Amino acid sequence: MTGGSLGIRSGSYGSLEKHFQQHQQNGGGVHLPIQTTSRTKPAKMLKDKERLFHWICKFAGRKKVGMLSSVSSPLPFSSGFCYTLPPGHPCNSFTLPPPPADKKRTGPRPCPVCYLPVEEAIALMPKFPSFSPIVNNLTYLYEDPLSRDGEFGGSEFGGYPTLKQRSESYDIRESMSMHCGFVRGKKPGRNTGFDMDEIDLAAMEQCQGVVVASAIFGAFDNIQQPSNISEYSKRTVCFFMFVDEETEAYLWKKNGLDSSRKIGIWRIVVVHNLPYKDGRRNGKVPKLLAHRMFPNARFSLWIDGKLELVVDPYQILERHLWRKNATLAISRHYKRFDVFVEAEANKAAGKYDNASIDFQIDFYKKEGLTSYSEAKLPIISDVPEGCVIIREHVPISNLFTCLWFNEVDRFTSRDQISFSTVRDKIQAKTNWTVNMFLDCERRNFVVQKYHRDVLGHMTPLPPTVYPPPPPLVLVYEPPKTALETSAERVASIPVRRARRGRKSGSRRHRKVVAGGRDIDSS
């Protein structure tokens, strides 16, 4: 059965729904929870952590876990830390409702998600880094001057890795040295291309916990301020927005950017000496190389510049990383799950030069790329919706994003096309994989806005405010234990619905690159 015959999702609630149900009956672990949340200040964080330690479990020692890589039938690799919510907890029993029966709306939409209250999510933040299978020491190549012998695509910023070096980078070993951008300097952002001021670099090095990063180049978007962010997150999470000099000039004019280098919650970092002429390709640097730009951070959340974050970062990390025992999470595309279909859609929409897309697909086909089929289960999609990336900075996830960036640097900037090739090559050697959650779950915690050029042709509307959720009366009444308050603090948040009444335009603005061909480097 080929990927094209597996069917298209209804709305954005799921793909291959029947296959998921069969897989779950056979012991698979597809969980589709109802969204509930309560956003309160983490005053009892330490007490909640002690209460939940009953449900924290540790896997076998490193030597035993490492043996998984030699098992004949690969299983998803666990990071070494897991927990189970207390019996009777509302998140254990909630299930995803069917899509609303609205024939006028058949496209993507948000769906309910089950979040823990902020203080409980914070309490479950792992004390130690997750286990990284096989690779434990990852270093990055520094070359000045650059050698272009054996050049096969790429750029000065990426170091022009040869095909032989590309092949060696997929030979995963305990200690590895590889290309990962910034090759012309010993420290990223200092005369390497994608340069930043020393005051900003120093601030980035100070981030030791959670980073939320975004970028706007070419003044393409308006800055979106996150909402429903807890006071604890405002104090402990680093919010960094990377902009070019053109966007900086626009921000000075519109927002009054001053010496504080902040607009709302965002720390604005102006990037100089951009490595590419294409703004979208420049955006791949902070998107995929956050571990290089924030060397001391443990976790990062990347969101595209057109998105507004409406859920607390700790709740997102708990839901999609810690609860899933994952080190990298990304939503799958709401409609497409086959790379060949994705490539044709990119060509039809003029997203990139068609010949370059064909060349990349043909290259991957010669390496063994095939259409998606149910034979890849429990892998549920080969196509991500790459506007959000949630990750822990450990060697294996850093390796994945380095390799992914190298593919984007060498071939087209359409990262959806190269994603599955990198993931599958790593999984074949380590059994590590990516948590690909539903696109409707992503739409629950970020709201997509229009680009500036589209807004200029629209009638202004009053800003939408996403209020905290109303309280929920729970049916379950657990025995009186020390953990009973964990379930009682969960509250429900309704599914967001689009505003009606505006007939002109489209809910989902499709980006079209003028001119077609992308220029790799300046």
Side-chain angles (χ1 to χ4, degrees):
M1 183 178 293
T2 65
S5 64
L6 288 174
I8 295 177
R9 293 179 235 186
S10 172
S12 62
Y13 273 45
S15 173
L16 315 176
E17 183 175 358
K18 293 182 180 178
H19 297 282
F20 292 160
Q21 292 172 352
Q22 293 172 0
H23 178 60
Q24 193 169 11
Q25 292 171 0
N26 294 330
V30 179
H31 302 289
L32 305 174
I34 290 290
Q35 170 180 347
T36 60
T37 183
S38 171
R39 298 181 176 85
T40 56
K41 296 182 180 180
K44 300 180 180 179
M45 180 179 63
L46 296 177
K47 186 177 294 184
D48 288 336
K49 181 174 288 189
E50 292 174 359
R51 290 174 177 173
L52 286 165
F53 266 142
H54 266 305
W55 286 269
I56 292 179
C57 64
K58 294 184 178 180
F59 285 99
R62 179 172 295 185
K63 292 183 179 179
K64 291 184 178 180
V65 174
M67 291 174 63
L68 286 173
S69 61
S70 63
V71 176
S72 58
S73 57
L75 297 173
F77 199 94
S78 65
S79 62
F81 174 90
C82 75
Y83 58 88
T84 302
L85 296 176
H89 194 286
C91 285
N92 289 334
S93 58
F94 285 137
T95 56
L96 193 70
D102 186 353
K103 295 181 179 180
K104 295 182 179 180
R105 282 198 61 199
T106 58
R109 68 187 82 194
C111 62
V113 176
C114 189
Y115 299 112
L116 293 187
V118 174
E119 70 274 13
E120 289 187 15
I122 295 169
L124 287 168
M125 182 174 181
K127 286 186 175 181
F128 305 102
S130 296
F131 176 64
S132 177
I134 301 184
V135 58
N136 294 318
N137 181 34
L138 190 64
T139 57
Y140 310 106
L141 292 177
Y142 158 64
E143 294 183 63
D144 193 15
L146 288 173
S147 171
R148 299 183 65 166
D149 294 339
E151 176 185 341
F152 186 84
S155 67
E156 287 190 1
F157 181 78
Y160 297 107
T162 65
L163 287 180
K164 180 181 178 182
Q165 289 172 321
R166 176 183 181 270
S167 178
E168 291 173 347
S169 68
Y170 286 106
D171 180 18
I172 300 173
R173 306 173 298 280
E174 183 175 0
S175 182
M176 299 179 64
S177 183
M178 64 181 302
H179 289 87
C180 192
F182 301 104
V183 298
R184 289 184 294 167
K186 294 183 178 180
K187 289 190 175 182
R190 294 175 173 89
N191 299 317
T192 58
F194 209 87
D195 297 330
M196 293 160 279
D197 297 337
E198 285 296 331
I199 188 172
D200 293 319
L201 292 169
M204 292 158 65
E205 290 182 357
Q206 293 298 314
C207 296
Q208 299 183 2
V210 178
V211 173
V212 176
S214 188
I216 298 175
F217 296 115
F220 201 55
D221 296 292
N222 291 319
I223 289 182
Q224 307 298 331
Q225 291 297 331
S227 57
N228 298 321
I229 306 300
S230 67
E231 292 300 320
Y232 184 83
S233 290
K234 291 177 182 178
R235 296 195 306 269
T236 62
V237 175
C238 298
F239 290 84
F240 275 78
M241 174 70 70
F242 297 93
V243 302
D244 58 0
E245 294 170 356
E246 179 183 353
T247 307
E248 177 193 24
Y250 173 76
L251 294 177
W252 273 100
K253 181 179 179 180
K254 180 181 179 182
N255 299 90
L257 181 64
D258 55 28
S259 59
S260 70
R261 298 173 181 257
K262 294 197 73 173
I263 295 179
I265 202 170
W266 293 107
R267 167 71 178 254
I268 308 299
V269 176
V270 181
V271 180
H272 312 283
N273 190 22
L274 292 171
Y276 307 105
K277 292 183 178 180
D278 175 37
R280 292 185 179 90
R281 195 185 287 271
N282 285 317
K284 300 299 188 290
V285 178
K287 175 179 180 177
L288 299 178
L289 304 184
H291 61 287
R292 299 219 59 195
M293 299 170 64
F294 298 92
N296 300 313
R298 292 189 61 196
F299 301 93
S300 65
L301 171 60
W302 164 265
I303 59 173
D304 277 4
K306 65 178 179 292
L307 301 178
E308 176 189 349
L309 183 68
V310 296
V311 173
D312 191 88
Y314 287 104
Q315 293 177 297
I316 298 170
L317 287 165
E318 187 282 327
R319 175 66 184 84
H320 296 294
L321 287 189
W322 307 335
R323 198 188 308 178
K324 293 294 184 180
N325 200 27
T327 53
L328 193 143
I330 191 169
S331 66
R332 54 188 183 264
H333 196 277
Y334 78 96
K335 183 178 181 181
R336 297 186 289 272
F337 45 84
D338 183 275
V339 176
F340 295 94
V341 177
E342 175 66 19
E344 291 303 315
N346 275 259
K347 290 162 60 177
K351 297 280 188 175
Y352 206 88
D353 176 61
N354 288 5
S356 298
I357 294 176
D358 289 338
F359 178 84
Q360 183 175 8
I361 290 294
D362 288 342
F363 185 92
Y364 290 160
K365 283 175 66 177
K366 292 175 182 177
E367 289 192 319
L369 176 67
T370 59
S371 294
Y372 181 83
S373 72
E374 62 181 338
K376 295 193 76 170
L377 289 171
I379 291 176
I380 48 184
S381 177
D382 283 346
V383 180
E385 182 65 68
C387 56
V388 169
I389 299 178
I390 311 164
R391 57 182 292 215
E392 180 180 0
H393 294 186
V394 292
I396 188 64
S397 63
N398 296 342
L399 172 67
F400 171 79
T401 53
C402 283
L403 291 172
W404 194 8
F405 176 82
N406 290 344
E407 297 296 294
V408 169
D409 181 62
R410 183 188 301 275
F411 296 108
T412 72
S413 62
R414 305 306 298 170
D415 50 31
Q416 297 93 332
I417 295 176
S418 52
F419 167 82
S420 65
T421 291
V422 179
R423 179 201 61 191
D424 294 351
K425 285 178 178 289
I426 292 179
Q427 186 184 34
K429 298 290 184 66
T430 67
N431 297 305
W432 176 89
T433 193
V434 177
N435 173 26
M436 295 191 74
F437 54 93
L438 289 169
D439 179 68
C440 64
E441 294 179 294
R442 173 190 65 83
R443 293 173 186 272
N444 179 280
F445 65 82
V446 289
V447 178
Q448 182 168 326
K449 304 294 185 177
Y450 288 101
H451 296 303
R452 282 187 56 228
D453 58 343
V454 178
L455 289 172
H457 298 87
M458 296 172 58
T459 303
L461 295 173
T464 303
V465 178
Y466 300 96
L472 170 70
V473 178
L474 300 175
V475 176
Y476 173 79
E477 295 183 1
K480 297 297 181 179
T481 65
L483 286 159
E484 62 182 345
T485 57
S486 175
E488 292 175 353
R489 281 199 302 271
V490 180
S492 176
I493 184 169
V495 178
R496 299 188 302 274
R497 297 185 180 276
R499 297 186 296 269
R500 297 184 178 181
R502 189 172 71 247
K503 295 184 179 179
S504 61
S506 171
R507 280 193 73 253
R508 295 188 298 114
H509 170 57
R510 186 177 69 187
K511 294 186 290 186
V512 177
V513 180
R517 181 176 295 273
D518 176 47
I519 300 175
D520 283 345
S521 60
S522 57

Short mmCIF file of all heavy atoms in Angstrom, two decimals, residues 132-166:
data_model
loop_
_atom_site.label_atom_id
_atom_site.label_comp_id
_atom_site.label_asym_id
_atom_site.label_seq_id
_atom_site.Cartn_x
_atom_site.Cartn_y
_atom_site.Cartn_z
N SER A 132 21.41 10.02 25.67
CA SER A 132 21.63 10.17 24.24
C SER A 132 22.22 8.87 23.70
O SER A 132 23.33 8.50 24.05
CB SER A 132 22.60 11.33 23.97
OG SER A 132 22.89 11.45 22.60
N PRO A 133 21.47 8.14 22.85
CA PRO A 133 21.96 6.85 22.36
C PRO A 133 23.18 7.00 21.46
O PRO A 133 23.20 7.83 20.55
CB PRO A 133 20.77 6.28 21.60
CG PRO A 133 19.95 7.47 21.23
CD PRO A 133 20.14 8.45 22.32
N ILE A 134 24.18 6.21 21.73
CA ILE A 134 25.44 6.10 20.98
C ILE A 134 26.27 7.37 21.07
O ILE A 134 27.37 7.36 21.63
CB ILE A 134 25.21 5.70 19.51
CG1 ILE A 134 24.48 4.35 19.42
CG2 ILE A 134 26.54 5.64 18.77
CD1 ILE A 134 24.29 3.84 17.99
N VAL A 135 25.79 8.49 20.50
CA VAL A 135 26.62 9.69 20.47
C VAL A 135 26.57 10.42 21.81
O VAL A 135 25.49 10.76 22.31
CB VAL A 135 26.19 10.63 19.32
CG1 VAL A 135 24.73 11.04 19.44
CG2 VAL A 135 27.08 11.86 19.26
N ASN A 136 27.76 10.61 22.40
CA ASN A 136 27.86 11.30 23.68
C ASN A 136 28.67 12.59 23.60
O ASN A 136 28.55 13.45 24.46
CB ASN A 136 28.51 10.37 24.73
CG ASN A 136 27.65 9.18 25.05
OD1 ASN A 136 26.45 9.30 25.19
ND2 ASN A 136 28.27 8.00 25.15
N ASN A 137 29.52 12.68 22.60
CA ASN A 137 30.38 13.85 22.47
C ASN A 137 30.30 14.36 21.03
O ASN A 137 30.72 13.68 20.10
CB ASN A 137 31.83 13.48 22.82
CG ASN A 137 32.74 14.69 22.73
OD1 ASN A 137 32.34 15.81 23.01
ND2 ASN A 137 33.98 14.47 22.30
N LEU A 138 29.74 15.56 20.86
CA LEU A 138 29.54 16.13 19.54
C LEU A 138 30.26 17.47 19.46
O LEU A 138 29.98 18.38 20.23
CB LEU A 138 28.04 16.32 19.27
CG LEU A 138 27.62 16.68 17.84
CD1 LEU A 138 27.97 15.56 16.87
CD2 LEU A 138 26.12 16.97 17.80
N THR A 139 31.24 17.56 18.55
CA THR A 139 31.96 18.82 18.33
C THR A 139 31.76 19.26 16.90
O THR A 139 31.32 18.49 16.04
CB THR A 139 33.46 18.65 18.63
OG1 THR A 139 33.99 17.59 17.81
CG2 THR A 139 33.68 18.31 20.10
N TYR A 140 32.12 20.53 16.63
CA TYR A 140 31.79 21.13 15.34
C TYR A 140 33.04 21.65 14.64
O TYR A 140 33.94 22.22 15.28
CB TYR A 140 30.77 22.25 15.55
CG TYR A 140 29.60 21.81 16.40
CD1 TYR A 140 29.48 22.23 17.73
CD2 TYR A 140 28.66 20.92 15.89
CE1 TYR A 140 28.43 21.79 18.51
CE2 TYR A 140 27.61 20.48 16.68
CZ TYR A 140 27.50 20.91 17.99
OH TYR A 140 26.46 20.48 18.76
N LEU A 141 33.08 21.47 13.33
CA LEU A 141 34.26 21.81 12.54
C LEU A 141 34.41 23.32 12.39
O LEU A 141 33.44 24.06 12.24
CB LEU A 141 34.16 21.17 11.16
CG LEU A 141 34.26 19.64 11.13
CD1 LEU A 141 34.06 19.13 9.70
CD2 LEU A 141 35.59 19.16 11.68
N TYR A 142 35.65 23.74 12.44
CA TYR A 142 36.02 25.14 12.25
C TYR A 142 37.08 25.18 11.16
O TYR A 142 38.12 24.53 11.25
CB TYR A 142 36.55 25.71 13.57
CG TYR A 142 37.44 26.93 13.42
CD1 TYR A 142 36.94 28.11 12.91
CD2 TYR A 142 38.78 26.89 13.81
CE1 TYR A 142 37.74 29.23 12.78
CE2 TYR A 142 39.60 28.01 13.68
CZ TYR A 142 39.08 29.18 13.16
OH TYR A 142 39.88 30.27 13.04
N GLU A 143 36.80 25.90 10.07
CA GLU A 143 37.71 25.96 8.94
C GLU A 143 37.88 27.41 8.48
O GLU A 143 36.91 28.06 8.13
CB GLU A 143 37.18 25.14 7.75
CG GLU A 143 37.10 23.65 7.98
CD GLU A 143 36.62 22.94 6.73
OE1 GLU A 143 37.33 23.01 5.71
OE2 GLU A 143 35.53 22.34 6.77
N ASP A 144 39.09 27.88 8.50
CA ASP A 144 39.39 29.20 7.98
C ASP A 144 40.86 29.22 7.55
O ASP A 144 41.74 29.15 8.40
CB ASP A 144 39.14 30.27 9.04
CG ASP A 144 39.14 31.68 8.46
OD1 ASP A 144 39.05 31.80 7.22
OD2 ASP A 144 39.25 32.64 9.24
N PRO A 145 41.18 29.25 6.26
CA PRO A 145 40.23 29.42 5.14
C PRO A 145 39.50 28.12 4.80
O PRO A 145 39.94 27.04 5.17
CB PRO A 145 41.15 29.84 3.99
CG PRO A 145 42.45 29.18 4.31
CD PRO A 145 42.58 29.22 5.81
N LEU A 146 38.41 28.28 4.07
CA LEU A 146 37.60 27.14 3.68
C LEU A 146 38.22 26.41 2.50
O LEU A 146 38.83 27.01 1.62
CB LEU A 146 36.19 27.60 3.30
CG LEU A 146 35.26 28.05 4.42
CD1 LEU A 146 33.99 28.63 3.80
CD2 LEU A 146 34.93 26.90 5.33
N SER A 147 38.03 25.10 2.51
CA SER A 147 38.39 24.30 1.35
C SER A 147 37.12 23.95 0.58
O SER A 147 36.14 23.50 1.17
CB SER A 147 39.09 23.01 1.79
OG SER A 147 39.27 22.14 0.69
N ARG A 148 37.16 24.16 -0.75
CA ARG A 148 35.99 23.86 -1.56
C ARG A 148 36.25 22.67 -2.49
O ARG A 148 35.54 22.48 -3.47
CB ARG A 148 35.58 25.09 -2.36
CG ARG A 148 35.21 26.27 -1.46
CD ARG A 148 34.74 27.48 -2.24
NE ARG A 148 33.50 27.24 -2.95
CZ ARG A 148 32.75 28.20 -3.49
NH1 ARG A 148 33.11 29.47 -3.36
NH2 ARG A 148 31.66 27.91 -4.16
N ASP A 149 37.25 21.88 -2.14
CA ASP A 149 37.51 20.68 -2.92
C ASP A 149 36.37 19.69 -2.77
O ASP A 149 35.92 19.40 -1.66
CB ASP A 149 38.82 20.02 -2.45
CG ASP A 149 40.04 20.88 -2.73
OD1 ASP A 149 39.94 21.75 -3.62
OD2 ASP A 149 41.08 20.69 -2.07
N GLY A 150 35.88 19.17 -3.88
CA GLY A 150 34.77 18.22 -3.82
C GLY A 150 33.45 18.87 -3.51
O GLY A 150 32.51 18.21 -3.06
N GLU A 151 33.35 20.17 -3.77
CA GLU A 151 32.11 20.90 -3.46
C GLU A 151 30.91 20.30 -4.18
O GLU A 151 30.98 19.97 -5.36
CB GLU A 151 32.29 22.36 -3.85
CG GLU A 151 31.05 23.22 -3.66
CD GLU A 151 31.24 24.63 -4.20
OE1 GLU A 151 32.41 25.04 -4.37
OE2 GLU A 151 30.24 25.30 -4.47
N PHE A 152 29.81 20.17 -3.44
CA PHE A 152 28.56 19.66 -4.01
C PHE A 152 27.41 20.40 -3.32
O PHE A 152 26.76 19.91 -2.42
CB PHE A 152 28.43 18.15 -3.77
CG PHE A 152 27.24 17.51 -4.44
CD1 PHE A 152 27.31 17.11 -5.77
CD2 PHE A 152 26.06 17.30 -3.76
CE1 PHE A 152 26.22 16.52 -6.40
CE2 PHE A 152 24.95 16.72 -4.37
CZ PHE A 152 25.04 16.33 -5.69
N GLY A 153 27.20 21.65 -3.74
CA GLY A 153 26.19 22.48 -3.09
C GLY A 153 26.72 23.02 -1.77
O GLY A 153 27.88 22.83 -1.40
N GLY A 154 25.88 23.72 -1.07
CA GLY A 154 26.27 24.26 0.22
C GLY A 154 26.64 25.73 0.14
O GLY A 154 26.36 26.42 -0.84
N SER A 155 27.29 26.23 1.20
CA SER A 155 27.62 27.64 1.30
C SER A 155 28.85 27.82 2.18
O SER A 155 29.31 26.88 2.84
CB SER A 155 26.44 28.41 1.93
OG SER A 155 26.28 28.02 3.30
N GLU A 156 29.40 29.03 2.18
CA GLU A 156 30.53 29.32 3.07
C GLU A 156 30.11 29.16 4.52
O GLU A 156 30.88 28.67 5.35
CB GLU A 156 31.03 30.74 2.82
CG GLU A 156 31.79 30.91 1.52
CD GLU A 156 32.47 32.25 1.42
OE1 GLU A 156 32.37 33.04 2.38
OE2 GLU A 156 33.10 32.52 0.38
N PHE A 157 28.90 29.60 4.85
CA PHE A 157 28.43 29.48 6.23
C PHE A 157 28.38 28.02 6.67
O PHE A 157 28.70 27.69 7.81
CB PHE A 157 27.05 30.12 6.35
CG PHE A 157 26.48 30.08 7.74
CD1 PHE A 157 26.90 30.96 8.71
CD2 PHE A 157 25.49 29.14 8.08
CE1 PHE A 157 26.38 30.93 10.00
CE2 PHE A 157 24.96 29.10 9.35
CZ PHE A 157 25.40 30.00 10.31
N GLY A 158 27.96 27.13 5.76
CA GLY A 158 27.86 25.71 6.09
C GLY A 158 29.15 24.94 5.91
O GLY A 158 29.26 23.80 6.37
N GLY A 159 30.15 25.54 5.20
CA GLY A 159 31.44 24.89 5.08
C GLY A 159 31.63 24.01 3.86
O GLY A 159 32.65 23.34 3.75
N TYR A 160 30.68 23.98 2.94
CA TYR A 160 30.76 23.16 1.75
C TYR A 160 31.17 21.71 2.05
O TYR A 160 32.15 21.20 1.50
CB TYR A 160 31.77 23.76 0.76
CG TYR A 160 31.40 25.12 0.25
CD1 TYR A 160 32.10 26.25 0.69
CD2 TYR A 160 30.37 25.30 -0.66
CE1 TYR A 160 31.78 27.52 0.22
CE2 TYR A 160 30.05 26.57 -1.14
CZ TYR A 160 30.75 27.68 -0.69
OH TYR A 160 30.43 28.93 -1.15
N PRO A 161 30.47 21.00 2.91
CA PRO A 161 30.84 19.61 3.17
C PRO A 161 30.71 18.76 1.91
O PRO A 161 29.76 18.89 1.15
CB PRO A 161 29.85 19.15 4.24
CG PRO A 161 28.69 20.10 4.13
CD PRO A 161 29.26 21.39 3.67
N THR A 162 31.69 17.88 1.69
CA THR A 162 31.67 17.01 0.52
C THR A 162 30.66 15.89 0.73
O THR A 162 30.17 15.66 1.85
CB THR A 162 33.06 16.40 0.29
OG1 THR A 162 33.38 15.54 1.40
CG2 THR A 162 34.12 17.49 0.17
N LEU A 163 30.37 15.15 -0.34
CA LEU A 163 29.47 14.01 -0.22
C LEU A 163 30.08 12.94 0.69
O LEU A 163 29.34 12.24 1.40
CB LEU A 163 29.15 13.45 -1.60
CG LEU A 163 28.21 14.29 -2.48
CD1 LEU A 163 27.99 13.61 -3.82
CD2 LEU A 163 26.87 14.53 -1.78
N LYS A 164 31.40 12.80 0.65
CA LYS A 164 32.05 11.84 1.53
C LYS A 164 31.86 12.25 2.99
O LYS A 164 31.55 11.42 3.85
CB LYS A 164 33.53 11.74 1.20
CG LYS A 164 34.28 10.75 2.09
CD LYS A 164 35.76 10.71 1.74
CE LYS A 164 36.50 9.74 2.68
NZ LYS A 164 37.96 9.72 2.38
N GLN A 165 32.02 13.53 3.28
CA GLN A 165 31.81 14.02 4.65
C GLN A 165 30.35 13.86 5.06
O GLN A 165 30.05 13.56 6.21
CB GLN A 165 32.25 15.48 4.75
CG GLN A 165 33.75 15.67 4.68
CD GLN A 165 34.14 17.13 4.60
OE1 GLN A 165 33.48 17.94 3.92
NE2 GLN A 165 35.22 17.50 5.28
N ARG A 166 29.44 14.08 4.10
CA ARG A 166 28.02 13.87 4.41
C ARG A 166 27.78 12.42 4.81
O ARG A 166 27.07 12.14 5.79
CB ARG A 166 27.17 14.24 3.19
CG ARG A 166 25.67 13.97 3.36
CD ARG A 166 24.92 14.30 2.08
NE ARG A 166 23.49 14.07 2.22
CZ ARG A 166 22.88 12.92 1.95
NH1 ARG A 166 23.61 11.87 1.53
NH2 ARG A 166 21.57 12.80 2.10
#
